[in-house]
mmCIF file of all heavy atoms in Angstrom:
data_model
loop_
_atom_site.group_PDB
_atom_site.id
_atom_site.type_symbol
_atom_site.label_atom_id
_atom_site.label_comp_id
_atom_site.label_asym_id
_atom_site.label_seq_id
_atom_site.Cartn_x
_atom_site.Cartn_y
_atom_site.Cartn_z
ATOM 1 N N ILE A 1 103.349 162.621 62.675
ATOM 2 C CA ILE A 1 104.498 163.294 63.291
ATOM 3 C C ILE A 1 105.184 162.367 64.282
ATOM 4 O O ILE A 1 106.406 162.288 64.340
ATOM 5 C CB ILE A 1 104.045 164.593 63.981
ATOM 6 C CG1 ILE A 1 103.545 165.596 62.934
ATOM 7 C CG2 ILE A 1 105.171 165.202 64.796
ATOM 8 C CD1 ILE A 1 102.869 166.808 63.523
ATOM 9 N N LEU A 2 104.408 161.646 65.072
ATOM 10 C CA LEU A 2 104.980 160.778 66.087
ATOM 11 C C LEU A 2 105.621 159.530 65.507
ATOM 12 O O LEU A 2 106.397 158.866 66.181
ATOM 13 C CB LEU A 2 103.914 160.395 67.112
ATOM 14 C CG LEU A 2 103.399 161.551 67.961
ATOM 15 C CD1 LEU A 2 102.264 161.078 68.840
ATOM 16 C CD2 LEU A 2 104.510 162.169 68.780
ATOM 17 N N LYS A 3 105.300 159.179 64.250
ATOM 18 C CA LYS A 3 105.912 158.007 63.623
ATOM 19 C C LYS A 3 107.331 158.273 63.145
ATOM 20 O O LYS A 3 108.079 157.340 62.909
ATOM 21 C CB LYS A 3 105.064 157.541 62.443
ATOM 22 C CG LYS A 3 103.830 156.806 62.850
ATOM 23 C CD LYS A 3 103.111 156.276 61.635
ATOM 24 C CE LYS A 3 101.874 155.517 62.049
ATOM 25 N NZ LYS A 3 101.164 154.963 60.899
ATOM 26 N N HIS A 4 107.716 159.529 63.007
ATOM 27 C CA HIS A 4 109.069 159.836 62.559
ATOM 28 C C HIS A 4 110.096 159.390 63.594
ATOM 29 O O HIS A 4 109.831 159.388 64.800
ATOM 30 C CB HIS A 4 109.229 161.333 62.303
ATOM 31 C CG HIS A 4 108.530 161.797 61.074
ATOM 32 N ND1 HIS A 4 109.048 161.641 59.818
ATOM 33 C CD2 HIS A 4 107.342 162.415 60.914
ATOM 34 C CE1 HIS A 4 108.222 162.135 58.941
ATOM 35 N NE2 HIS A 4 107.153 162.616 59.587
ATOM 36 N N LYS A 5 111.275 159.006 63.104
ATOM 37 C CA LYS A 5 112.319 158.525 64.005
ATOM 38 C C LYS A 5 112.826 159.626 64.930
ATOM 39 O O LYS A 5 113.250 159.365 66.040
ATOM 40 C CB LYS A 5 113.487 157.963 63.200
ATOM 41 C CG LYS A 5 113.129 156.702 62.466
ATOM 42 C CD LYS A 5 114.302 156.163 61.709
ATOM 43 C CE LYS A 5 113.904 154.899 60.964
ATOM 44 N NZ LYS A 5 115.019 154.346 60.204
ATOM 45 N N GLY A 6 112.777 160.868 64.491
ATOM 46 C CA GLY A 6 113.281 161.975 65.291
ATOM 47 C C GLY A 6 112.283 162.519 66.293
ATOM 48 O O GLY A 6 112.592 163.471 67.007
ATOM 49 N N ALA A 7 111.094 161.929 66.376
ATOM 50 C CA ALA A 7 110.072 162.435 67.291
ATOM 51 C C ALA A 7 110.519 162.317 68.743
ATOM 52 O O ALA A 7 110.274 163.217 69.543
ATOM 53 C CB ALA A 7 108.755 161.700 67.088
ATOM 54 N N GLY A 8 111.182 161.243 69.086
ATOM 55 C CA GLY A 8 111.664 161.072 70.458
ATOM 56 C C GLY A 8 112.732 162.082 70.814
ATOM 57 O O GLY A 8 112.747 162.629 71.927
ATOM 58 N N VAL A 9 113.614 162.355 69.871
ATOM 59 C CA VAL A 9 114.681 163.336 70.109
ATOM 60 C C VAL A 9 114.082 164.729 70.250
ATOM 61 O O VAL A 9 114.461 165.499 71.143
ATOM 62 C CB VAL A 9 115.717 163.293 68.962
ATOM 63 C CG1 VAL A 9 116.745 164.388 69.117
ATOM 64 C CG2 VAL A 9 116.381 161.933 68.902
ATOM 65 N N LEU A 10 113.130 165.058 69.385
ATOM 66 C CA LEU A 10 112.476 166.356 69.459
ATOM 67 C C LEU A 10 111.731 166.504 70.779
ATOM 68 O O LEU A 10 111.784 167.560 71.419
ATOM 69 C CB LEU A 10 111.514 166.536 68.286
ATOM 70 C CG LEU A 10 110.755 167.849 68.256
ATOM 71 C CD1 LEU A 10 111.711 169.018 68.067
ATOM 72 C CD2 LEU A 10 109.719 167.821 67.160
ATOM 73 N N LEU A 11 111.058 165.458 71.211
ATOM 74 C CA LEU A 11 110.349 165.500 72.487
ATOM 75 C C LEU A 11 111.327 165.695 73.643
ATOM 76 O O LEU A 11 111.044 166.445 74.572
ATOM 77 C CB LEU A 11 109.529 164.228 72.689
ATOM 78 C CG LEU A 11 108.728 164.157 73.979
ATOM 79 C CD1 LEU A 11 107.729 165.294 74.051
ATOM 80 C CD2 LEU A 11 108.022 162.833 74.089
ATOM 81 N N PHE A 12 112.478 165.041 73.587
ATOM 82 C CA PHE A 12 113.482 165.216 74.634
ATOM 83 C C PHE A 12 113.959 166.660 74.699
ATOM 84 O O PHE A 12 114.054 167.246 75.791
ATOM 85 C CB PHE A 12 114.676 164.281 74.385
ATOM 86 C CG PHE A 12 115.816 164.533 75.322
ATOM 87 C CD1 PHE A 12 115.769 164.087 76.629
ATOM 88 C CD2 PHE A 12 116.933 165.228 74.901
ATOM 89 C CE1 PHE A 12 116.815 164.329 77.496
ATOM 90 C CE2 PHE A 12 117.981 165.470 75.748
ATOM 91 C CZ PHE A 12 117.927 165.020 77.054
ATOM 92 N N ILE A 13 114.245 167.249 73.552
ATOM 93 C CA ILE A 13 114.739 168.632 73.524
ATOM 94 C C ILE A 13 113.665 169.593 74.035
ATOM 95 O O ILE A 13 113.952 170.490 74.843
ATOM 96 C CB ILE A 13 115.197 169.007 72.107
ATOM 97 C CG1 ILE A 13 116.454 168.211 71.753
ATOM 98 C CG2 ILE A 13 115.463 170.499 71.985
ATOM 99 C CD1 ILE A 13 116.853 168.311 70.296
ATOM 100 N N LEU A 14 112.423 169.414 73.578
ATOM 101 C CA LEU A 14 111.346 170.275 74.050
ATOM 102 C C LEU A 14 111.097 170.114 75.546
ATOM 103 O O LEU A 14 110.848 171.090 76.255
ATOM 104 C CB LEU A 14 110.066 169.982 73.267
ATOM 105 C CG LEU A 14 110.065 170.433 71.818
ATOM 106 C CD1 LEU A 14 108.784 169.984 71.124
ATOM 107 C CD2 LEU A 14 110.238 171.930 71.704
ATOM 108 N N ALA A 15 111.170 168.885 76.036
ATOM 109 C CA ALA A 15 110.978 168.650 77.467
ATOM 110 C C ALA A 15 112.092 169.283 78.281
ATOM 111 O O ALA A 15 111.851 169.904 79.323
ATOM 112 C CB ALA A 15 110.922 167.149 77.748
ATOM 113 N N PHE A 16 113.311 169.168 77.801
ATOM 114 C CA PHE A 16 114.444 169.765 78.505
ATOM 115 C C PHE A 16 114.279 171.281 78.588
ATOM 116 O O PHE A 16 114.470 171.878 79.650
ATOM 117 C CB PHE A 16 115.748 169.400 77.788
ATOM 118 C CG PHE A 16 116.966 169.943 78.457
ATOM 119 C CD1 PHE A 16 117.467 169.340 79.597
ATOM 120 C CD2 PHE A 16 117.609 171.063 77.959
ATOM 121 C CE1 PHE A 16 118.591 169.838 80.221
ATOM 122 C CE2 PHE A 16 118.728 171.565 78.572
ATOM 123 C CZ PHE A 16 119.225 170.958 79.713
ATOM 124 N N LEU A 17 113.910 171.888 77.470
ATOM 125 C CA LEU A 17 113.728 173.342 77.461
ATOM 126 C C LEU A 17 112.533 173.763 78.313
ATOM 127 O O LEU A 17 112.589 174.780 79.012
ATOM 128 C CB LEU A 17 113.548 173.844 76.033
ATOM 129 C CG LEU A 17 114.787 173.769 75.151
ATOM 130 C CD1 LEU A 17 114.438 174.192 73.734
ATOM 131 C CD2 LEU A 17 115.902 174.635 75.703
ATOM 132 N N ALA A 18 111.452 173.004 78.271
ATOM 133 C CA ALA A 18 110.251 173.367 79.028
ATOM 134 C C ALA A 18 110.474 173.273 80.527
ATOM 135 O O ALA A 18 109.873 174.033 81.295
ATOM 136 C CB ALA A 18 109.087 172.471 78.623
ATOM 137 N N ILE A 19 111.315 172.353 80.941
ATOM 138 C CA ILE A 19 111.527 172.177 82.376
ATOM 139 C C ILE A 19 112.685 173.026 82.894
ATOM 140 O O ILE A 19 112.593 173.628 83.955
ATOM 141 C CB ILE A 19 111.740 170.690 82.704
ATOM 142 C CG1 ILE A 19 110.425 169.947 82.486
ATOM 143 C CG2 ILE A 19 112.214 170.497 84.127
ATOM 144 C CD1 ILE A 19 110.513 168.459 82.661
ATOM 145 N N CYS A 20 113.764 173.115 82.168
ATOM 146 C CA CYS A 20 114.961 173.799 82.669
ATOM 147 C C CYS A 20 114.959 175.305 82.441
ATOM 148 O O CYS A 20 115.460 176.053 83.270
ATOM 149 C CB CYS A 20 116.204 173.198 82.027
ATOM 150 S SG CYS A 20 116.503 171.525 82.577
ATOM 151 N N TRP A 21 114.410 175.749 81.329
ATOM 152 C CA TRP A 21 114.509 177.159 80.994
ATOM 153 C C TRP A 21 113.867 178.090 82.028
ATOM 154 O O TRP A 21 114.466 179.091 82.409
ATOM 155 C CB TRP A 21 113.917 177.403 79.604
ATOM 156 C CG TRP A 21 113.865 178.831 79.225
ATOM 157 C CD1 TRP A 21 114.912 179.665 79.001
ATOM 158 C CD2 TRP A 21 112.691 179.608 79.044
ATOM 159 N NE1 TRP A 21 114.466 180.899 78.671
ATOM 160 C CE2 TRP A 21 113.102 180.897 78.687
ATOM 161 C CE3 TRP A 21 111.336 179.337 79.128
ATOM 162 C CZ2 TRP A 21 112.202 181.914 78.434
ATOM 163 C CZ3 TRP A 21 110.445 180.349 78.863
ATOM 164 C CH2 TRP A 21 110.884 181.608 78.523
ATOM 165 N N PRO A 22 112.664 177.796 82.543
ATOM 166 C CA PRO A 22 112.075 178.730 83.518
ATOM 167 C C PRO A 22 112.881 178.847 84.800
ATOM 168 O O PRO A 22 112.874 179.890 85.441
ATOM 169 C CB PRO A 22 110.703 178.132 83.813
ATOM 170 C CG PRO A 22 110.432 177.198 82.723
ATOM 171 C CD PRO A 22 111.742 176.736 82.207
ATOM 172 N N PHE A 23 113.580 177.789 85.172
ATOM 173 C CA PHE A 23 114.356 177.855 86.400
ATOM 174 C C PHE A 23 115.675 178.597 86.194
ATOM 175 O O PHE A 23 116.242 179.127 87.125
ATOM 176 C CB PHE A 23 114.594 176.451 86.944
ATOM 177 C CG PHE A 23 113.334 175.838 87.460
ATOM 178 C CD1 PHE A 23 112.631 174.925 86.710
ATOM 179 C CD2 PHE A 23 112.828 176.209 88.693
ATOM 180 C CE1 PHE A 23 111.445 174.380 87.178
ATOM 181 C CE2 PHE A 23 111.646 175.676 89.168
ATOM 182 C CZ PHE A 23 110.954 174.758 88.412
ATOM 183 N N MET A 24 116.157 178.612 84.966
ATOM 184 C CA MET A 24 117.371 179.369 84.683
ATOM 185 C C MET A 24 117.068 180.852 84.510
ATOM 186 O O MET A 24 117.878 181.691 84.846
ATOM 187 C CB MET A 24 118.025 178.813 83.424
ATOM 188 C CG MET A 24 118.483 177.412 83.576
ATOM 189 S SD MET A 24 120.143 177.314 83.038
ATOM 190 C CE MET A 24 120.405 175.586 83.042
ATOM 191 N N ALA A 25 115.916 181.159 83.945
ATOM 192 C CA ALA A 25 115.525 182.553 83.741
ATOM 193 C C ALA A 25 114.827 183.044 85.006
ATOM 194 O O ALA A 25 113.614 182.965 85.139
ATOM 195 C CB ALA A 25 114.614 182.676 82.534
ATOM 196 N N ARG A 26 115.583 183.549 85.910
ATOM 197 C CA ARG A 26 115.034 183.942 87.213
ATOM 198 C C ARG A 26 114.067 185.106 87.108
ATOM 199 O O ARG A 26 113.192 185.259 87.946
ATOM 200 C CB ARG A 26 116.175 184.311 88.158
ATOM 201 C CG ARG A 26 117.037 183.136 88.475
ATOM 202 C CD ARG A 26 118.138 183.518 89.409
ATOM 203 N NE ARG A 26 119.038 182.383 89.543
ATOM 204 C CZ ARG A 26 120.288 182.472 89.851
ATOM 205 N NH1 ARG A 26 120.832 183.662 90.060
ATOM 206 N NH2 ARG A 26 121.028 181.409 89.948
ATOM 207 N N THR A 27 114.211 185.934 86.106
ATOM 208 C CA THR A 27 113.329 187.089 85.982
ATOM 209 C C THR A 27 112.012 186.749 85.308
ATOM 210 O O THR A 27 111.119 187.577 85.260
ATOM 211 C CB THR A 27 114.025 188.199 85.177
ATOM 212 O OG1 THR A 27 114.354 187.692 83.881
ATOM 213 C CG2 THR A 27 115.280 188.670 85.876
ATOM 214 N N LEU A 28 111.872 185.542 84.789
ATOM 215 C CA LEU A 28 110.635 185.171 84.113
ATOM 216 C C LEU A 28 109.466 185.092 85.091
ATOM 217 O O LEU A 28 108.398 185.628 84.834
ATOM 218 C CB LEU A 28 110.807 183.833 83.394
ATOM 219 C CG LEU A 28 109.625 183.341 82.586
ATOM 220 C CD1 LEU A 28 109.348 184.295 81.427
ATOM 221 C CD2 LEU A 28 109.892 181.951 82.049
ATOM 222 N N TYR A 29 109.675 184.442 86.204
ATOM 223 C CA TYR A 29 108.630 184.309 87.217
ATOM 224 C C TYR A 29 109.141 184.920 88.517
ATOM 225 O O TYR A 29 110.144 184.492 89.072
ATOM 226 C CB TYR A 29 108.277 182.847 87.465
ATOM 227 C CG TYR A 29 107.758 182.130 86.251
ATOM 228 C CD1 TYR A 29 108.466 181.092 85.679
ATOM 229 C CD2 TYR A 29 106.554 182.502 85.686
ATOM 230 C CE1 TYR A 29 107.986 180.434 84.569
ATOM 231 C CE2 TYR A 29 106.070 181.845 84.567
ATOM 232 C CZ TYR A 29 106.788 180.818 84.018
ATOM 233 O OH TYR A 29 106.317 180.168 82.921
ATOM 234 N N GLN A 30 108.425 185.900 89.001
ATOM 235 C CA GLN A 30 108.837 186.557 90.238
ATOM 236 C C GLN A 30 108.425 185.762 91.476
ATOM 237 O O GLN A 30 109.077 185.820 92.506
ATOM 238 C CB GLN A 30 108.234 187.971 90.311
ATOM 239 C CG GLN A 30 108.685 188.867 89.197
ATOM 240 C CD GLN A 30 110.187 189.126 89.208
ATOM 241 O OE1 GLN A 30 110.807 189.170 90.263
ATOM 242 N NE2 GLN A 30 110.769 189.254 88.032
ATOM 243 N N VAL A 31 107.345 185.008 91.357
ATOM 244 C CA VAL A 31 106.823 184.243 92.484
ATOM 245 C C VAL A 31 107.181 182.769 92.285
ATOM 246 O O VAL A 31 107.065 182.235 91.184
ATOM 247 C CB VAL A 31 105.289 184.412 92.572
ATOM 248 C CG1 VAL A 31 104.735 183.671 93.768
ATOM 249 C CG2 VAL A 31 104.924 185.881 92.626
ATOM 250 N N VAL A 32 107.614 182.121 93.332
ATOM 251 C CA VAL A 32 108.038 180.723 93.264
ATOM 252 C C VAL A 32 106.878 179.816 92.866
ATOM 253 O O VAL A 32 107.072 178.851 92.123
ATOM 254 C CB VAL A 32 108.646 180.285 94.620
ATOM 255 C CG1 VAL A 32 108.985 178.815 94.618
ATOM 256 C CG2 VAL A 32 109.859 181.114 94.945
ATOM 257 N N GLU A 33 105.670 180.140 93.307
ATOM 258 C CA GLU A 33 104.518 179.308 92.977
ATOM 259 C C GLU A 33 104.275 179.260 91.470
ATOM 260 O O GLU A 33 103.862 178.233 90.937
ATOM 261 C CB GLU A 33 103.257 179.821 93.683
ATOM 262 C CG GLU A 33 103.263 179.578 95.176
ATOM 263 C CD GLU A 33 104.010 180.664 95.950
ATOM 264 O OE1 GLU A 33 104.350 181.720 95.360
ATOM 265 O OE2 GLU A 33 104.272 180.441 97.134
ATOM 266 N N GLU A 34 104.542 180.361 90.766
ATOM 267 C CA GLU A 34 104.367 180.375 89.316
ATOM 268 C C GLU A 34 105.347 179.414 88.640
ATOM 269 O O GLU A 34 105.009 178.778 87.641
ATOM 270 C CB GLU A 34 104.568 181.783 88.770
ATOM 271 C CG GLU A 34 103.477 182.749 89.159
ATOM 272 C CD GLU A 34 103.753 184.141 88.655
ATOM 273 O OE1 GLU A 34 104.820 184.377 88.046
ATOM 274 O OE2 GLU A 34 102.894 185.013 88.876
ATOM 275 N N ARG A 35 106.534 179.302 89.179
ATOM 276 C CA ARG A 35 107.514 178.349 88.633
ATOM 277 C C ARG A 35 107.005 176.919 88.781
ATOM 278 O O ARG A 35 107.143 176.102 87.868
ATOM 279 C CB ARG A 35 108.855 178.482 89.335
ATOM 280 C CG ARG A 35 109.575 179.742 88.996
ATOM 281 C CD ARG A 35 110.919 179.766 89.655
ATOM 282 N NE ARG A 35 111.547 181.055 89.429
ATOM 283 C CZ ARG A 35 112.774 181.342 89.782
ATOM 284 N NH1 ARG A 35 113.509 180.439 90.391
ATOM 285 N NH2 ARG A 35 113.267 182.531 89.544
ATOM 286 N N TYR A 36 106.427 176.609 89.916
ATOM 287 C CA TYR A 36 105.942 175.249 90.135
ATOM 288 C C TYR A 36 104.715 174.941 89.281
ATOM 289 O O TYR A 36 104.543 173.812 88.834
ATOM 290 C CB TYR A 36 105.658 175.007 91.613
ATOM 291 C CG TYR A 36 106.929 174.850 92.394
ATOM 292 C CD1 TYR A 36 107.326 175.801 93.314
ATOM 293 C CD2 TYR A 36 107.762 173.760 92.176
ATOM 294 C CE1 TYR A 36 108.513 175.670 94.020
ATOM 295 C CE2 TYR A 36 108.947 173.616 92.868
ATOM 296 C CZ TYR A 36 109.315 174.576 93.786
ATOM 297 O OH TYR A 36 110.484 174.446 94.459
ATOM 298 N N VAL A 37 103.865 175.929 89.044
ATOM 299 C CA VAL A 37 102.725 175.722 88.152
ATOM 300 C C VAL A 37 103.240 175.443 86.745
ATOM 301 O O VAL A 37 102.752 174.532 86.059
ATOM 302 C CB VAL A 37 101.776 176.942 88.183
ATOM 303 C CG1 VAL A 37 100.754 176.875 87.064
ATOM 304 C CG2 VAL A 37 101.086 177.033 89.524
ATOM 305 N N HIS A 38 104.218 176.215 86.296
ATOM 306 C CA HIS A 38 104.794 175.990 84.977
ATOM 307 C C HIS A 38 105.423 174.598 84.895
ATOM 308 O O HIS A 38 105.247 173.890 83.906
ATOM 309 C CB HIS A 38 105.845 177.050 84.666
ATOM 310 C CG HIS A 38 106.555 176.796 83.377
ATOM 311 N ND1 HIS A 38 106.111 177.291 82.184
ATOM 312 C CD2 HIS A 38 107.664 176.064 83.093
ATOM 313 C CE1 HIS A 38 106.913 176.892 81.220
ATOM 314 N NE2 HIS A 38 107.863 176.145 81.751
#
């Protein structure tokens, strides 16, 4: 999977979603500490 040329692009998209999405969805985590753990 990692040898494919699109692996870097896929990793970038997944990383962007994993980091940005919880901070945009304010109702996902009610406590700030949970956001930082995520």
Side-chain angles (χ1 to χ4, degrees):
I1 294 170
L2 294 175
K3 284 185 179 181
H4 287 280
K5 292 181 181 180
V9 174
L10 179 65
L11 181 60
F12 173 77
I13 292 170
L14 289 175
F16 181 77
L17 290 175
I19 291 175
C20 292
W21 175 66
F23 290 101
M24 296 230 189
R26 295 181 187 154
T27 59
L28 183 64
Y29 299 115
Q30 299 297 328
V31 182
V32 175
E33 289 84 11
E34 291 177 357
R35 289 183 186 186
Y36 286 112
V37 168
H38 175 90

